[in-house]
Amino acid sequence: MKGIVLAGGAGTRLYPSTIACSKQMLTIYDKPMIYYPISTLMLAGIQDILIISTPRDIVGFEELFGDGSQLGLRISYKVQEAPRGLAEAFILGEDFIGDDNVCLVLGDNIFYGYSFTERMKNACAREDGATIFGYHVSNPREFGVVEFDDDGTVLSIEEKPAQPKSNYAVPGLYFYDHRVVEIAKNVQPSARGELEITSVNNAYLKEGKLKVELFGRGMAWLDTGNHRAMLDAANFVEAVQTRQGLYIACLEEIAYRNKFIDKEQLLAQAERLKSTEYGQYLFHVAETVKVK
């Protein structure tokens, strides 16, 4: 399974903060926004990751992560010259995906909660078809909405429907088999000139090969597309970390627990960040977490 983080876009809703930098480089409490989608892929057990971003911003991500080896990852990079839609990620990532299945996560989506890893591993285990996720919302008219049967097979997907057929919105996390590349190549641009992810999902839907995994109560999905949403997300992360003493989206901890890196590598990262609370937390993880 390969993973793609789509971290492009101009971030105009976050101006002036993003005039000179990527919105995925902005901080959500104590770490860059892109740490959160990277952590999502790592929690699914994915180590091969492609970051797609703009010509201006790709250099910053390369400086932040390098080749990913310090996290036990294999990170590569691709430029998206212009925002031509989410589905273009699969065309740009064709060589990277190869014959593997792939997970796409949007660079401004944050997921946290009980059973999240289990839901993703269910999606990873499906070798054929596609899996999207459903998140219960009170205002489904503002989202893409998924309708499904008792077996989790998707019946319809509608974008901001006037009469929603369910209360489940579709967040920015998608799992596909390797056929997604050819499907994306055959997608026709929408009225706004973009290759829409909904068109890819509808192609699998027509084949009866689109499944949905539902996020239950206690699961948090945060979209950080504007300043208020970013503040809400930062406050959420701070509250959880302060109350529990456990970090959200700590990439080094996830890598260590998943055996992507060993204790020596974890301590090397802790030493590099020792002047911060984040670095001190890594020392704590090295001292207290026993990896079997």
Side-chain angles (χ1 to χ4, degrees):
M1 176 71 70
K2 302 286 182 67
I4 296 177
V5 179
L6 187 55
T12 54
R13 288 191 296 163
L14 289 167
Y15 275 12
S17 301
T18 53
I19 289 175
C21 74
S22 166
K23 70 177 180 179
Q24 286 87 7
M25 280 293 199
L26 299 181
T27 299
I28 302 296
Y29 185 51
D30 59 354
K31 59 191 74 73
M33 185 188 297
I34 196 171
Y35 268 47
Y36 297 89
I38 292 285
S39 75
T40 294
L41 297 177
M42 293 174 68
L43 288 169
I46 296 171
Q47 292 178 266
D48 290 291
I49 296 173
L50 174 67
I51 296 175
I52 298 177
S53 191
T54 66
R56 181 196 70 182
D57 297 325
I58 200 74
V59 175
F61 294 119
E62 290 175 333
E63 184 174 353
L64 180 63
F65 293 118
D67 63 4
S69 58
Q70 74 279 8
L71 296 168
L73 305 177
R74 294 172 290 275
I75 298 179
S76 51
Y77 303 87
K78 195 78 174 183
V79 169
Q80 185 181 38
E81 295 290 346
R84 300 189 185 96
L86 305 187
E88 191 188 29
F90 306 112
I91 300 173
L92 293 173
E94 179 177 10
D95 292 339
F96 169 76
I97 296 168
D99 293 328
D100 291 309
N101 291 355
V102 63
C103 171
L104 171 68
V105 60
L106 304 188
D108 59 0
N109 276 222
I110 296 174
F111 300 92
Y112 179 78
Y114 182 73
S115 80
F116 178 47
T117 302
E118 178 185 349
R119 294 284 175 268
M120 287 195 296
K121 289 187 175 178
N122 288 342
C124 284
R126 294 191 182 102
E127 297 184 359
D128 184 39
T131 303
I132 58 176
F133 294 84
Y135 185 85
H136 195 281
V137 294
S138 60
N139 52 343
R141 291 181 181 86
E142 298 181 11
F143 298 92
V145 173
V146 57
E147 178 194 12
F148 49 89
D149 65 17
D150 292 339
D151 295 323
T153 299
V154 176
L155 302 176
S156 69
I157 303 176
E158 297 178 287
E159 190 65 30
K160 297 181 179 179
Q163 300 294 328
K165 295 177 181 177
S166 84
N167 278 82
Y168 283 90
V170 180
L173 178 64
Y174 317 89
F175 284 79
Y176 300 102
D177 60 27
H178 70 275
R179 295 183 302 125
V180 70
V181 174
E182 293 305 317
I183 289 173
K185 287 180 179 180
N186 288 301
V187 166
Q188 297 301 311
S190 64
R192 59 179 184 169
E194 296 190 1
L195 303 181
E196 306 289 353
I197 198 71
T198 300
S199 298
V200 172
N201 291 334
N202 281 329
Y204 283 99
L205 176 60
K206 288 177 182 177
E207 296 179 1
K209 292 186 176 182
L210 183 61
K211 291 284 190 177
V212 62
E213 287 281 340
L214 301 182
F215 292 140
R217 293 190 179 192
M219 182 69 198
W221 166 44
L222 305 170
D223 181 350
T224 54
N226 59 55
H227 290 101
R228 184 176 297 277
M230 285 187 64
L231 178 60
D232 289 343
N235 287 337
F236 174 83
V237 172
E238 187 277 334
V240 171
Q241 292 187 177
T242 300
R243 178 64 61 89
Q244 291 192 325
L246 301 172
Y247 274 37
I248 296 175
C250 179
L251 303 186
E252 294 83 358
E253 179 183 10
I254 297 170
Y256 182 55
R257 289 181 179 273
N258 283 358
K259 299 182 180 179
F260 297 169
I261 61 174
D262 59 26
K263 188 173 182 178
E264 183 178 346
Q265 291 170 297
L266 176 62
L267 287 171
Q269 290 297 100
E271 182 65 26
R272 186 168 70 95
L273 302 169
K274 64 182 179 181
S275 62
T276 68
E277 290 185 4
Y278 188 98
Q280 292 304 309
Y281 177 72
L282 296 183
F283 282 119
H284 173 73
V285 170
E287 291 173 3
T288 60
V289 174
K290 306 300 181 184
V291 178
K292 297 181 180 180

